[in-house]
Amino acid sequence: MTEDWEAGGFGIYIHWPFCAAKCPYCDFNSHVSRQIDEDRWRRAYLNEIDRHAAETPGRVVRSIFFGGGTPSLMDPATVAAILDRIRMRWPQANDLEVTLEANPGSVESGRFRDYFGAGVSRVSMGVQALNDRDLQRLGRIHSVDEALRAFDIARSVFDRVSFDLIYARQDQTPEDWRAELGRALDLAVDHLSLYQLTIEDGTAFGDRYRIGKLRGLPDEDSAAAMYDITQEVTTNAGFPIYEVSNHARPGAESRHNTLYWRYGDYVGIGPGAHGRLTLNGKRFATEAIRMPNGWLDAVDQGSGDAGRSVLTTEDQATEFMLMGLRLVDGVDMRRYQDLAGRPVSPQAIGSLQDLGMVEVEANILRVTDRGRLVLNSVIATLLE
Amino acid sequence: MTDLAHIRNFSIVAHIDHGKSTLADRLIQSTNTVSEREMKEQLLDAMDIERERGITIKANTVRIEYIAQDGDTYVLNLIDTPGHVDFAYEVSRSMRAVEGSLLVVDSTQGVEAQTLANVYQAIDADHEIVPVLNKIDLPASEPERVKEQIEDVIGIDASEAMLVSAKSGIGIAETLEAIIKRLPAPKGDRNAPLKAMLVDSWYDPYLGVVVLVRIMDGVLKKGDQIKMMQTDAKYQVDRIGVFRPAMQNVTELGPGEIGFLTAQIKQVRDTKVGDTITTEKKGCEKPLPGFKPSIPVVFCGLFPVDSAEFEDLRDAIEKLALNDASFSYEMETSAALGFGFRCGFLGLLHLEVIRDRIEREYDIELITTAPSVIYHVYMRDGSKIDLHNPADMPDMTHVDHIEEPRIKATIMVPDEYLGDVLKLCQDRRGIQMDLTYVGGRAMAVYDLPLNEVVFDFYDRLKSVTKGYASFDYQLEGYREDNLVKMQILVNDEPVDALSMMVHRDRAEMRGRAMCEKLKDLIPRHMFKIPIQAAIGGKVIARETLAALRKDVTAKCYGGDATRKRKLLDKQKAGKKKMRQFGKVDIPQEAFISALKMDN
């Protein structure tokens, strides 16, 4: 019998929790630390790989992703050891994708060739903005010049290069963004992640926003206009949208993120990493201990897991929709029905169709361009 | 049993915060009625809400034994009356149960509107009144000015006013002496048939209904077969006693005495405040004069936020009604709000107290609809409808005319705020009846429609006068006016819970204000939503709530689907706090907030 996760595939996420500096908008599990005993970290990652491999023998790995934090601060030898161990423990797909997130600084770009040698096939660079004033405001420690130089090196080393930009920034107008995005597309290789700035609780921006000190953020209408511009400019440049915030030349979509959005199984290794694992017919949500030293100590004791919970089929059906509807390709409603034990509400689909928010073709439910901009409301209606 | 000459029954009349409860506490304390250990601040205000709001809702009573300077022991019965206009009838009954009053006035503030209303009740009840100037030790105290004010405004002699600081204990001993020397002893005939006044009653979970009584004539004994003269209900007395202030059983209560009885009475509803209690056999012939049942004047719908809590709400309302005969309720169904109750109250404070108690004591979140008054709707066919709920308004083509209740409002305010107060009253369709100045304060008397006052008049008054105004009112009867029912349509569908009766000349203004408010209160949806105010089929105000433009999470952290699921759950929980109306979700607070006026 086929299990649900197989429709999405299997991959591995490695979390490196350290950064040279903490960005004020970032709410990811990242820490600034002077003393990192990298040998100990390497042993911990290898132990965790062994532990998870014992639970999922024979799974074909389609993608590996080094995220963070700033994984481009890792010694290439650590990356090589991790990739070697994964190859030893699991079979891999022929077109295995190995992505590493990189900060576009000079130090990091010096290691690109070694990462390639270790088996990394794709880098994703956190460029974030193409003007120095905004990079400073975003708390980034690199300059535009440095980013461009790092990007040139990346392009000469890797066939596949993606970079991130953050828009709807303070004092940014839709026309500012159109110009900046045009320049970005001139540089782009095969993939772009274009995120609207989100103010999260528990970040420096969140604190400033709460007391009214984060001024000049675009309003809802202006942010929506920037989203529309993004679609227009990227489509014309041959980088159409394939997920809410991701664009690629056709065929160059991130296989790893697509695995999440297609709701496959993935092992999450490293502090705070999340995983989804189907074991003995049950699907588990796993989460590793968040604090770096706590995680290291726990791994020494045998497991870095903070907890594991069984997902009900209802929860799985919900997660499947939450993730899958982000994709332009939409979701296969039969998967929802198999998990939830009932079809997606025809009334909800009908009312959303009337509003032009979704479309249905055979068993595929897709969110329209218009609906994608209000996806949270669309999903809330579908899953009411 | 105490002989009449050694009994004094009295109440304390005061404005909120003028120190009534503190004075009562000191009188109790200085006569050693309770031990130090038992002494709690503001002993008589038993309910949490009473303590918090600093008001008295139910009449409380305490029996104090006082050894006077003449060496005799006197029994002093203090009835602590409710201080608020909503409970005016209860106050008037309490007043009839005693012979004298202490009039407490804050010597730093002077006489307030509420003081006036209550002191007139005392004068009506033929009380001997002893003025007490409180807070005499504060630097801002002006006893001479306040004495003059009492004489000018109330018209009683204040030359021998007691100078007191209840807080520091100054003047307490003198006040106790004044009570026995200046207040009259009660009258009554021990050998006459039993005649007792039902002053108040409440439900006690262990004893059932406890009835507070004042014996006028005759003697009440345990085991007596008694009869309530208004309701004709008969009971056997199983316990009598007095409050010290804890309940203490006694064997009998004689003329002039105040105490309690229990008699296996199940519901407070079975006891009518002001009723006359006598013995079943050989009872008195005539009841005490002046009985009238209390009538609700303000109505609103109470609906549970979570419709699954309807049965809990029913239970809570039934339990509260057991102890409060003055509030009425019946089931109501609203298209917008589902199942709930239409409740009637003595006034706005009464409404708020009941609502707070349901929310706090029974932990049920409530949606309160716009308070309404009773309109008299005269139909063309000559019939008359008492309209409690705008939703029930008949078709206007069959209506001949509508009358609304009016009040006489007395407002006292420092001169510098008078202009704002007059403007507020004009805006609310008030007619000025009197305007006088007393010692730097203005007293404005207005004839106002009750429907303009029930919602947020008092809040507005407090806000424009920075809390310095005091306000009191009494119902003055009904008058015809040009009243219409205004409906609010959201996405072209009428929302019954937002319907209201308004004066035709004010309809455009109110309609516009409501539509603007709702536009801010209703979250954007995936489609644009017209919000309209209409009279009959005619739209008089309109706003459009634009469609939601952007609502999407830009990034999702690695494979953290759990977090996305939690966000969805949060979104769902937020939606649960709204009421779905057609395709539109309306937040519960909109039902009240939309009605608040900015002027």
Side-chain angles (χ1 to χ4, degrees):
Chain A
M1 200 187 86
T2 332
E3 293 184 314
D4 180 74
W5 68 270
E6 294 176 56
F10 178 69
I12 294 162
Y13 176 77
I14 306 286
H15 189 81
W16 176 262
F18 300 110
C19 283
K22 178 95 191 166
C23 299
Y25 56 85
C26 172
D27 72 331
F28 287 8
N29 187 24
S30 61
H31 305 262
V32 177
S33 172
R34 272 162 216 270
Q35 289 292 321
I36 299 166
D37 177 354
E38 199 156 337
D39 284 339
R40 192 176 171 208
W41 278 90
R42 179 159 47 221
R43 285 197 303 276
Y45 284 117
L46 301 182
N47 286 339
E48 285 288 273
I49 289 167
D50 291 347
R51 180 169 69 86
H52 281 105
E55 290 182 319
T56 53
R59 297 269 184 112
V60 178
V61 178
R62 301 193 42 181
S63 131
I64 301 165
F65 194 100
F66 290 87
T70 308
S72 59
L73 293 174
M74 289 170 95
D75 187 333
T78 306
V79 175
I82 288 169
L83 291 174
D84 285 345
R85 184 61 63 94
I86 290 172
R87 286 190 204 101
M88 198 194 318
R89 295 290 179 233
W90 286 285
Q92 303 102 54
N94 293 332
D95 56 352
L96 173 72
E97 175 190 275
V98 182
T99 306
L100 182 131
E101 283 184 334
N103 197 48
S106 49
V107 184
E108 288 89 346
S109 56
R111 302 192 184 112
F112 283 179
R113 212 160 287 281
D114 295 331
Y115 290 136
F116 181 73
V120 173
S121 59
R122 180 176 181 269
V123 283
S124 170
M125 301 180 72
V127 174
Q128 316 308 13
L130 291 177
N131 83 60
D132 284 334
R133 184 199 65 174
D134 285 7
L135 283 176
Q136 273 177 15
R137 278 184 162 182
L138 292 172
R140 303 297 296 188
I141 51 177
H142 64 269
S143 65
V144 174
D145 280 348
E146 269 181 301
L148 295 179
R149 276 198 299 277
F151 187 72
D152 275 343
I153 297 169
R155 200 154 53 170
S156 70
V157 174
F158 300 99
D159 291 338
R160 299 183 62 198
V161 181
S162 175
F163 64 90
D164 295 0
L165 290 179
I166 292 174
Y167 69 105
R169 308 188 296 254
Q170 288 169 275
D171 300 323
Q172 193 180 33
T173 66
E175 288 316 305
D176 291 344
W177 170 236
R178 182 188 289 278
E180 185 174 353
L181 182 56
R183 272 188 292 142
L185 283 158
D186 289 342
L187 300 169
V189 178
D190 66 346
H191 191 280
L192 276 174
S193 297
L194 306 171
Y195 298 112
Q196 288 218 351
L197 177 61
T198 309
I199 307 304
E200 302 282 0
D201 285 345
T203 65
F205 271 10
D207 293 344
R208 277 158 63 188
Y209 183 74
R210 227 186 15 253
I211 57 170
K213 292 232 164 122
L214 197 66
R215 299 204 179 85
L217 288 172
D219 62 15
E220 186 182 320
D221 287 341
S222 176
M226 288 190 217
Y227 191 86
D228 291 341
I229 287 172
T230 305
Q231 307 322 313
E232 178 200 325
V233 174
T234 53
T235 306
N236 291 340
F239 282 78
I241 184 172
Y242 71 96
E243 187 263 358
V244 172
S245 304
N246 284 280
H247 301 254
R249 289 196 192 283
E253 296 85 2
S254 158
R255 225 162 284 159
H256 192 83
N257 284 325
T258 305
L259 190 154
Y260 296 150
W261 296 320
R262 293 217 174 113
Y263 205 43
D265 261 8
Y266 42 94
V267 169
I269 293 173
H274 288 261
R276 288 290 180 276
L277 286 176
T278 309
L279 305 169
N280 302 320
K282 284 194 184 120
R283 197 160 205 174
F284 292 89
T286 70
E287 188 182 352
I289 290 164
R290 282 178 69 81
M291 293 312 287
N293 287 326
W295 179 78
L296 275 181
D297 292 343
V299 173
D300 282 349
Q301 302 296 314
S303 164
D305 275 2
R308 238 172 218 223
S309 49
V310 177
L311 292 166
T312 63
T313 47
E314 190 69 41
D315 288 344
Q316 292 177 51
T318 300
E319 291 189 347
F320 165 67
M321 296 288 273
L322 282 168
M323 303 304 264
L325 287 170
R326 296 181 69 85
L327 289 168
V328 169
D329 285 348
V331 296
D332 185 334
M333 291 189 286
R334 285 170 300 189
R335 264 182 90 187
Y336 179 86
Q337 179 155 8
D338 286 347
L339 287 168
R342 60 169 187 279
V344 185
S345 153
Q347 291 87 344
I349 293 176
S351 72
L352 289 167
Q353 272 176 318
D354 291 345
L355 294 169
M357 299 293 167
V358 300
E359 49 194 33
V360 176
E361 204 180 307
N363 293 302
I364 304 300
L365 174 68
R366 253 193 301 269
V367 176
T368 60
D369 290 344
R370 196 164 152 205
R372 199 166 300 116
L373 203 43
V374 290
L375 183 63
N376 292 347
S377 301
V378 170
I379 292 177
T381 305
L382 286 169
L383 298 182
E384 216 159 57
Chain B
M1 173 140 328
T2 314
D3 68 282
L4 289 164
H6 286 89
I7 298 175
R8 297 291 182 277
N9 298 320
F10 68 104
S11 69
I12 304 179
V13 171
H15 184 67
I16 294 168
D17 289 339
H18 280 201
K20 179 170 76 168
S21 299
T22 316
L23 177 64
D25 288 353
R26 286 298 164 270
L27 296 177
I28 294 167
Q29 212 173 16
S30 68
T31 51
N32 298 317
T33 303
V34 295
S35 69
E36 282 297 325
R37 189 176 50 80
E38 289 168 321
M39 192 71 200
K40 269 194 289 183
E41 283 290 304
Q42 312 224 327
L43 224 116
L44 294 181
D45 288 349
M47 271 193 267
D48 280 353
I49 292 171
E50 291 188 329
R51 274 170 209 265
E52 253 170 57
R53 293 185 178 234
I55 51 165
T56 306
I57 297 163
K58 302 294 287 180
N60 287 294
T61 186
V62 61
R63 175 183 166 122
I64 299 167
E65 280 179 16
Y66 170 61
I67 303 168
Q69 285 169 5
D70 63 16
D72 287 356
T73 299
Y74 288 82
V75 167
L76 313 182
N77 289 305
L78 163 61
I79 294 187
D80 188 21
T81 58
H84 195 276
V85 55
D86 284 4
F87 308 104
Y89 177 67
E90 298 196 9
V91 176
S92 78
R93 300 322 296 169
S94 304
M95 293 286 186
R96 303 266 166 197
V98 297
E99 287 78 21
S101 287
L102 302 183
L103 165 64
V104 179
V105 180
D106 183 335
S107 64
T108 68
Q109 302 273 338
V111 174
E112 301 284 351
Q114 205 179 63
T115 321
L116 279 183
N118 285 338
V119 83
Y120 288 141
Q121 295 254 31
I123 291 168
D124 281 353
D126 288 331
H127 279 194
E128 198 57 51
I129 296 169
V130 176
V132 173
L133 304 189
N134 195 19
K135 308 192 187 179
I136 207 76
D137 55 338
L138 294 183
S141 167
E142 294 181 273
E144 288 312 313
R145 186 182 70 81
V146 174
K147 273 186 196 174
E148 214 173 290
Q149 206 196 10
I150 291 172
E151 294 187 347
D152 289 351
V153 181
I154 303 172
I156 59 172
D157 179 11
S159 59
E160 287 182 80
M162 310 307 298
L163 301 179
V164 167
S165 165
K167 206 168 171 192
S168 329
I170 299 167
I172 299 299
E174 292 80 357
T175 303
L176 283 164
E177 277 300 305
I179 290 168
I180 58 159
K181 294 217 173 90
R182 287 166 62 179
L183 300 186
K187 296 187 182 79
D189 180 357
R190 193 182 161 77
N191 299 314
L194 176 68
K195 182 187 263 188
M197 184 200 286
L198 197 164
V199 181
D200 198 3
S201 63
W202 58 91
Y203 186 80
D204 180 288
Y206 299 105
L207 304 174
V209 174
V210 177
V211 179
L212 179 65
V213 291
R214 156 69 199 266
I215 310 297
M216 297 301 181
D217 289 317
V219 178
L220 176 69
K221 294 194 201 70
K222 185 178 166 179
D224 280 352
Q225 292 287 340
I226 54 163
K227 183 173 86 172
M228 310 284 188
M229 293 183 78
Q230 292 292 339
T231 60
D232 206 34
K234 296 170 182 74
Y235 301 98
Q236 181 172 24
V237 175
D238 55 21
R239 182 193 304 260
I240 53 176
V242 295
F243 296 96
R244 301 185 46 84
M247 290 169 126
Q248 190 179 74
N249 292 347
V250 297
T251 48
E252 57 171 58
L253 288 170
E257 290 196 289
I258 294 173
F260 70 86
L261 68 85
T262 66
Q264 304 290 326
I265 304 170
K266 300 276 185 309
Q267 293 191 53
V268 171
R269 261 170 215 287
D270 301 333
T271 58
K272 304 278 184 209
V273 168
D275 202 349
T276 305
I277 300 172
T278 187
T279 45
E280 193 184 341
K281 286 180 189 144
K282 295 187 195 158
C284 65
E285 288 182 4
K286 272 197 200 153
L288 294 159
F291 171 83
K292 59 176 183 184
S294 58
I295 302 163
V297 292
V298 176
F299 291 79
C300 78
L302 297 179
F303 294 84
V305 167
D306 180 353
S307 51
E309 289 185 331
F310 173 74
E311 286 303 326
D312 298 336
L313 176 60
R314 180 205 295 277
D315 191 48
I317 284 180
E318 280 172 357
K319 285 211 177 98
L320 287 175
L322 280 182
N323 201 11
D324 185 348
S326 55
F327 109 90
S328 66
Y329 63 97
E330 58 183 43
M331 224 183 103
E332 182 183 9
T333 318
S334 153
L337 304 175
F339 291 110
F341 292 93
R342 187 95 192 150
C343 301
F345 305 92
L346 298 176
L348 273 187
L349 178 85
H350 189 212
L351 184 162
E352 284 173 20
V353 166
I354 296 282
R355 187 192 60 201
D356 285 1
R357 292 189 65 186
I358 293 172
E359 292 202 320
R360 259 189 250 180
E361 292 170 27
Y362 297 90
D363 201 21
I364 299 168
E365 262 193 282
L366 290 176
I367 297 174
T368 314
T369 63
S372 170
V373 299
I374 302 174
Y375 295 91
H376 291 166
V377 181
Y378 291 88
M379 308 299 287
R380 287 194 196 283
D381 65 7
S383 63
K384 177 187 150 207
I385 297 170
D386 284 353
L387 184 75
H388 296 208
N389 187 348
D392 301 331
M393 178 71 195
D395 192 306
M396 276 308 279
T397 53
H398 301 301
V399 173
D400 185 71
H401 69 280
I402 304 173
E403 287 181 356
E404 65 177 340
R406 310 276 305 196
I407 59 164
K408 181 177 147 196
T410 304
I411 299 164
M412 298 192 73
V413 64
D415 202 20
E416 65 254 51
Y417 302 111
L418 182 63
D420 293 320
V421 169
L422 298 185
K423 182 173 182 311
L424 177 66
C425 292
Q426 299 294 349
D427 287 345
R428 300 296 173 96
R429 300 194 279 132
I431 298 163
Q432 196 182 95
M433 296 168 71
D434 195 12
L435 182 61
T436 47
Y437 286 87
V438 187
R441 286 170 73 84
M443 184 172 91
V445 180
Y446 265 85
D447 171 350
L448 277 158
L450 181 61
N451 89 334
E452 299 282 350
V453 174
V454 289
F455 194 64
D456 61 348
F457 182 83
Y458 194 44
D459 288 343
R460 293 292 309 157
L461 182 69
K462 274 191 288 192
S463 118
V464 299
T465 62
K466 302 196 167 61
Y468 283 110
S470 61
F471 166 66
D472 203 346
Y473 72 85
Q474 62 197 77
L475 282 170
E476 286 283 286
Y478 276 74
R479 197 182 313 155
E480 181 184 349
D481 217 326
N482 187 6
L483 297 159
V484 291
K485 176 183 168 184
M486 183 171 78
Q487 279 193 310
I488 298 294
L489 294 90
V490 175
N491 208 25
D492 299 324
E493 296 198 46
V495 179
D496 56 358
L498 290 172
S499 297
M500 55 159 56
M501 300 297 295
V502 297
H503 192 268
R504 185 63 189 84
D505 294 346
R506 304 240 305 149
E508 269 83 6
M509 199 268 287
R510 295 231 49 192
R512 228 178 4 256
M514 294 259 299
C515 291
E516 279 166 18
K517 277 260 168 67
L518 286 167
K519 189 183 162 189
D520 289 339
L521 290 163
I522 300 174
R524 287 190 185 191
H525 283 55
M526 285 183 282
F527 43 91
K528 69 173 187 216
I529 300 169
I531 301 167
Q532 297 158 303
I535 297 171
K538 186 175 168 237
V539 173
I540 56 166
R542 181 192 172 96
E543 291 282 336
T544 304
L545 176 61
L548 183 68
R549 287 289 319 267
K550 184 179 157 270
D551 175 27
V552 57
T553 311
K555 195 166 188 172
C556 53
Y557 172 36
D560 189 0
T562 311
R563 177 160 149 173
K564 296 216 70 200
R565 193 150 43 79
K566 279 184 187 152
L567 281 173
L568 179 73
D569 287 344
K570 217 168 126 187
Q571 202 178 353
K572 279 187 180 166
K575 217 171 163 171
K576 223 179 160 183
K577 294 205 161 176
M578 304 210 236
R579 287 295 161 144
Q580 203 168 30
F581 204 78
K583 291 194 303 187
V584 180
D585 294 312
I586 302 179
Q588 43 177 287
E589 70 263 23
F591 292 97
I592 275 294
S593 305
L595 301 157
K596 290 216 167 123
M597 287 177 274
D598 294 324
N599 56 55

